[in-house]
Amino acid sequence: MLITISGPAGSGKSTVAAGLAERLGSEHISGGDIFREVAAERDLTPLELNKLAEDEDSIDRDLDRRQRELAAERDDLVLESRLAGWMAGDHADFRIWLDAPLDIRAERIADREDKAVGTAREETVERADSEALRYQEYYDIDIDELDIYDLALNTARFSPGAVLDVVITAVEAYDIVDDEGKTPIDGVEYDF
């Protein structure tokens, strides 16, 4: 089963994806890890790479192409990134969106990256705005459009373990026999 976990920075994507993959015995691939790796290779911060990507669309397109190819080629996979649900498209068996209020996500990011909450909040907003513009421009994707997801969850309402439990329950309850159809991905131009 190919499962995607999407959401903004600090929503808990990585934690849930890793736990879900472990529980299912599936591989876990994170777009964030790939992005940070590319940033490190270029001796840039993720924010700096994001800014560079505004002028060099080949950066985003390469990362997105890799996600799309993984989704087309692999089956037992939890693919996690902001755009994983969109990039996997109809290859995904189950698409999940995680989110939390901005202030909560900023606190999580500040703790994770050992920086001031205000700095984390500012960088998070700047990064999200930058990415949303590029997604719209490149692929005609409105990142705020959640209709494609089978499950959307506010992770601020539960402990990390409880979020994982909810996701596992939903995924394990899924039965293809009862599936009347997932929301198709229409109007997206996968122009890499």
Side-chain angles (χ1 to χ4, degrees):
M1 176 180 266
L2 172 61
I3 300 166
T4 65
I5 300 192
S6 303
S11 63
K13 295 183 308 291
S14 298
T15 300
V16 172
L20 181 61
E22 182 178 333
R23 173 70 178 262
L24 298 176
S26 297
E27 184 178 8
H28 167 220
I29 297 178
S30 166
D33 291 341
I34 296 168
F35 192 84
R36 284 185 287 278
E37 184 178 293
V38 170
E41 288 170 3
R42 293 175 176 237
D43 198 28
L44 300 170
T45 67
L47 183 58
E48 290 169 334
L49 184 62
N50 241 358
K51 284 294 192 187
L52 185 61
E54 290 177 4
D55 296 322
E56 293 183 28
D57 69 348
S58 62
I59 295 168
D60 285 330
R61 292 178 190 275
D62 180 40
L63 295 169
D64 297 340
R65 178 178 44 252
R66 290 181 195 189
Q67 286 186 69
R68 184 83 174 150
E69 288 171 354
L70 287 167
E73 297 167 358
R74 304 229 182 132
D75 197 21
D76 291 323
L77 175 64
V78 176
L79 183 61
E80 168 235 330
S81 79
R82 175 100 183 219
L83 273 186
W86 290 97
M87 288 299 110
D90 292 332
H91 297 293
D93 296 300
F94 204 85
R95 296 181 289 236
I96 300 166
W97 177 264
L98 302 179
D99 204 347
L102 176 59
D103 288 341
I104 301 296
R105 293 186 295 109
E107 288 176 23
R108 292 174 180 173
I109 293 165
D111 286 345
R112 179 179 71 208
E113 297 179 6
D114 194 29
K115 61 176 66 171
V117 174
T119 301
R121 187 181 201 289
E122 183 178 307
E123 290 176 356
T124 299
V125 168
E126 190 175 339
R127 178 179 172 190
D129 290 348
S130 171
E131 290 172 345
L133 287 172
R134 295 196 317 269
Y135 303 154
Q136 189 72 50
E137 179 184 327
Y138 298 165
Y139 311 117
D140 201 24
I141 291 173
D142 177 354
I143 194 65
D144 295 322
E145 176 61 52
L146 303 183
D147 289 354
I148 69 161
Y149 297 99
D150 302 301
L151 176 67
L153 188 63
N154 176 354
T155 62
R157 301 297 306 250
F158 307 95
S159 71
V163 171
L164 180 58
D165 288 344
V166 169
V167 169
I168 287 171
T169 298
V171 169
E172 289 180 343
Y174 171 77
D175 186 342
I176 195 164
V177 172
D178 298 323
D179 188 347
E180 294 183 285
K182 60 186 165 188
T183 302
I185 305 284
D186 294 323
V188 175
E189 296 291 328
Y190 296 104
D191 182 20
F192 303 117

